[in-house]
Amino acid sequence: MTEARARLRADTTLTGAAWCRAHSDLVDTWLTRLLADAAPGATGATGATGVALVAVGGYGRQELCPESDIDLMLLHERKANQAQVAAVADRIWYPIWDEGYHLGHSVCTVRQALSLASDTLETATALLSARHLAGDAGLSDQLITGGRQNWEKRDSRWLTALAAGVAERHERTGEAAFRLEPDLKEARGGLRDVHALTWAQAARAILLDYDEEPLASAYSVLLDARVELQRRTGRAANVLVLQEQEGVARALGFDNADQLMGRIAEAARRIAWTSDDTWRRVTSTLRGPLTRTGLQPRLLAPGVVLRDGEVTLTPDAVAAEDPTLALRVAVAAAQHASVIERHTLEHLAAEWPGLPERWPAEATTLFIALLSAGHAAIPVIEALDHTGVWDRIMPEWRAVRCRPQHNAYHRFTVDRHLLETAANAAGLTDQVERPDLLVLGALLHDLGKGHPGDHSEVGVGFARVVGTRMGFSDEDVETLESLVRHHLLLPDVASRRDLDDPVTIERVAEAVLTVERVRLLAALTEADSLATGPSAWSPWKAGLVATLAERVEEVLAGSDQPRPPGRGRVSGGSAFPSPQQLAWLEQPGRHIDATGDVLTVVTGDRPGVFSRVAGVLALHGLDVIAASAQSTDAGRALAEFRVVDHVRDAVPWPRVLADLDRALDGRLALSARMAERVRTYDRPGPFSRRPTVAAVTFDNAASTSATVMDVHTVDRVGVLYRVTRAMAELDLDIRSARVQTLGPEVVDSFYVRDDQGQKVTGHDCLREIERAVLHAVG
């Protein structure tokens, strides 16, 4: 069996369902032989030796992926000798385990199995795919027939439980269509949703109304990917992580991972749409029409009513002659947290011609209202997109639909990211003077990712086209262009530049030009970051962005103008240096403070202080997620490190501080210890399908007193220590630093001066620094 499995695993001519069927057939033959050897007399429906082997679950469906569990029932007659049955079971189970399979097994009578299935949803659904393998076929037939009869008899109960289970699973696992690393099986739009539909159909087929061929085609796409993922990894994996996507794509004949992930997103959208629509109708049928309880259809807009919890058209609505009808329907659904009724969507898709080249004012007002509905607008827009209606509203959307991002910093595909950003922006409209420009800019800011080139610059053209089409003034269109062009400006500058340097503030002010745009960009930054992923926004980063925005506003408005009410430091983003840190800088000696996840070190300034602190933190398994540094002309140095401990509940500060004192005193073999730790623990984390290329850049115009050096590389054990040690060996003085971890990557910025206290300007010196740092991170 081992050799046969290995040959099948290596057979690249079979993929997806065909591979699973071949695997199932192979296991069928093997198990039939095992039962024959274990119970030679198990052939009749009578007698103490009557037993049957039944496949259930995925194996019962003949969908045995490379690392799937083998789910089996060993049935026996009620009067069978229990010791004999147990012996038969052992002679079957142990070879399966010895072969390395995961086994789900039970030994029972038909009556016991049906009794358990009458109380347990998992067992009840497993029996729906029960398949006779070997032994007494009569026992298997009793189980299969009884399982289906019990399922149909309790259809309302099972449908209610299934609907609740589907909703809970979706909440727990997210969405296969829009996640960069989708769960192919359990997520919304995954394989399990199709299984649930099949089970629902077995309970009450009359409820189901969908085209099975597109659903089967979508299912095949996901199954193909799941088989190749498990074949490559040798694990029972269902989440298609970034580092496996390229290999799976090649195995399935795609040119690249983007093509594969686009197909997966489309397939998952199809499955999710069918699943959502079906379960809404099932739930509505089980509940009964709301109109029976006295809740009559309610007119929401001309031609649009709310009936039985769904938005639908009135009989007199004429889609072909009403240019804003689709938007009125969408706004009504979003504002009432409802859904658009399926036949209404199909009617709009078939009859609504779309908007004219120059939108009427009503259309623009409705579009902004839709985006302003926040997260309730996302499923509504996705429904329009699924049926082709959204293309007639926003044709630029085609290029970003289902388009994957390329690193683990992002959670969503480009199209879903834009919708999430717009929804977040809708909750921040009280911070800006022009809410309409904020939500629209949020929707447009990454449209350029669907085309070659710098997506910010490419996206400016789309902002101009869309803004003009919607009837905005020239000044408003320029503001939209600015939002798209500069949507990364505030987070990049805030996290990588010295906010106390006037040059930093002046350069941002020159780019943004108006106070209104600063506030719009600040809100867009928050909305965009929250939609990106958990590592993109934090109280620390929010505080930096708020400080930058405030100072740029002051420059643009005039320093004597008071700040607008409500604008201030975000909670949790404390100033650096703090008053206490400034006081320590004025005092002699060494001051070390560790509070929560923040370490502050104040000591005499000499090359290597920063790197020694970073090295000690790395030795203790602490990841630096943010750091700041500053030195004074009086020979004092301050460094603040924000850390995270991925292993322990609390940072072991006493041990860390003891080693830190030894390192600062030159009594710790830091390099040797670090080399040992790297050999033991260094490993790549989640990474982009497009590997990060280490880069070092310099900017002598970003500060009046220091050279700004940016280091971009993969996050590995001790990378900050290695970078700063290389700088110390060249006698560079780190005047200030900004360290940030962006998912699997680090982007570190250092304000440095040479040993004479001057900028580093010589070409040879800069190249030597670059060589040293690249060697350190390599």
Side-chain angles (χ1 to χ4, degrees), residues 489-491 493-494 498-522 544-559 561 563-564 567:
L489 179 64
L490 295 191
V493 171
D498 185 353
L499 304 187
D500 290 325
D501 192 325
V503 174
T504 300
I505 309 304
E506 290 166 3
R507 293 177 80 174
V508 175
E510 290 171 0
V512 177
L513 298 178
T514 70
V515 170
E516 177 186 87
R517 292 179 185 176
V518 174
R519 296 175 186 174
L520 285 167
L521 282 170
L544 292 176
V545 171
T547 297
L548 174 60
E550 290 165 4
R551 293 178 179 177
V552 173
E553 278 190 33
E554 290 172 352
V555 169
L556 292 171
S559 59
Q561 181 171 324
R563 287 177 183 163
R567 304 283 294 177

Side-chain angles (χ1 to χ4, degrees), residues 343-357:
H343 295 296
T344 295
L345 279 169
E346 292 172 348
H347 179 72
L348 290 172
E351 302 294 335
W352 188 62
L355 290 162
E357 180 61 29

Side-chain angles (χ1 to χ4, degrees), residues 500 575-592 600-606 609 628-640 733-736:
D500 290 325
F576 177 84
S578 69
Q580 179 61 71
Q581 291 169 339
L582 290 173
W584 284 334
L585 279 172
E586 297 296 324
Q587 300 169 11
R590 182 183 298 162
H591 301 275
I592 300 177
T600 301
V601 178
V602 180
T603 188
D605 187 19
R606 67 181 188 275
V609 170
S628 298
Q630 183 170 306
S631 59
T632 69
D633 293 333
R636 302 283 286 160
L638 161 67
E640 179 185 271
D733 177 27
I734 301 176
R735 298 287 293 180
S736 64

Side-chain angles (χ1 to χ4, degrees), residues 16 114 154 255 325 404 452 512 525 592 604 611 629 656:
L114 294 178
R154 296 174 174 85
D255 292 337
L325 180 61
V512 177
T525 296
I592 300 177
S611 67
V656 175

Side-chain angles (χ1 to χ4, degrees), residues 394-444:
M394 185 66 59
E396 294 79 9
W397 201 256
R398 297 187 189 99
V400 296
R401 180 182 294 114
C402 300
R403 187 175 185 85
Q405 315 262 13
H406 293 111
N407 60 58
Y409 187 45
H410 278 274
R411 289 181 294 173
F412 298 118
T413 53
V414 177
D415 53 346
R416 183 55 178 270
H417 172 74
L418 291 174
L419 294 181
E420 292 283 346
T421 303
N424 292 336
L428 302 171
T429 53
D430 59 339
Q431 300 182 15
V432 298
E433 291 80 4
R434 292 294 303 274
D436 54 342
L437 298 181
L438 174 61
V439 294
L440 182 56
L443 186 74
L444 303 178

